[in-house]
Amino acid sequence: MHALINRLLDWLGRPRLVEFDYRDRSGTHHGRCYVRCMFGSQSQMRRMMHSCGYTNIRIAQ
């Protein structure tokens, strides 16, 4: 089952590194994570992250 899920995720899209800035009580921080654009475009992902308070969002190609 694990192999089937991995093949499906590979088919839907490879992980992309996303770097962003965010602000909390202690100041501005830089974060990064890997995401998959399975069901939306990169612009939709940027809009979603921006609506959650993240800024300077950069998606590595």
Side-chain angles (χ1 to χ4, degrees), residues 19-23 28-31 53-58:
E19 295 184 4
F20 51 88
D21 294 331
Y22 63 97
R23 185 171 178 82
T28 302
H29 306 284
H30 183 76
Y54 298 109
T55 59
N56 298 330
I57 302 163
R58 187 180 72 79

Side-chain angles (χ1 to χ4, degrees), residues 20-43:
F20 51 88
D21 294 331
Y22 63 97
R23 185 171 178 82
D24 63 6
R25 290 181 184 174
S26 62
T28 302
H29 306 284
H30 183 76
R32 67 178 77 165
C33 65
Y34 284 94
V35 297
R36 294 179 190 265
C37 301
M38 293 192 294
F39 303 111
S41 66
Q42 290 183 12
S43 61

Side-chain angles (χ1 to χ4, degrees), residues 2-32:
H2 183 67
L4 177 66
I5 292 172
N6 281 338
R7 282 194 313 219
L8 180 63
L9 289 175
D10 287 340
W11 180 73
L12 289 173
R14 65 182 174 90
R16 298 186 188 270
L17 177 64
V18 176
E19 295 184 4
F20 51 88
D21 294 331
Y22 63 97
R23 185 171 178 82
D24 63 6
R25 290 181 184 174
S26 62
T28 302
H29 306 284
H30 183 76
R32 67 178 77 165

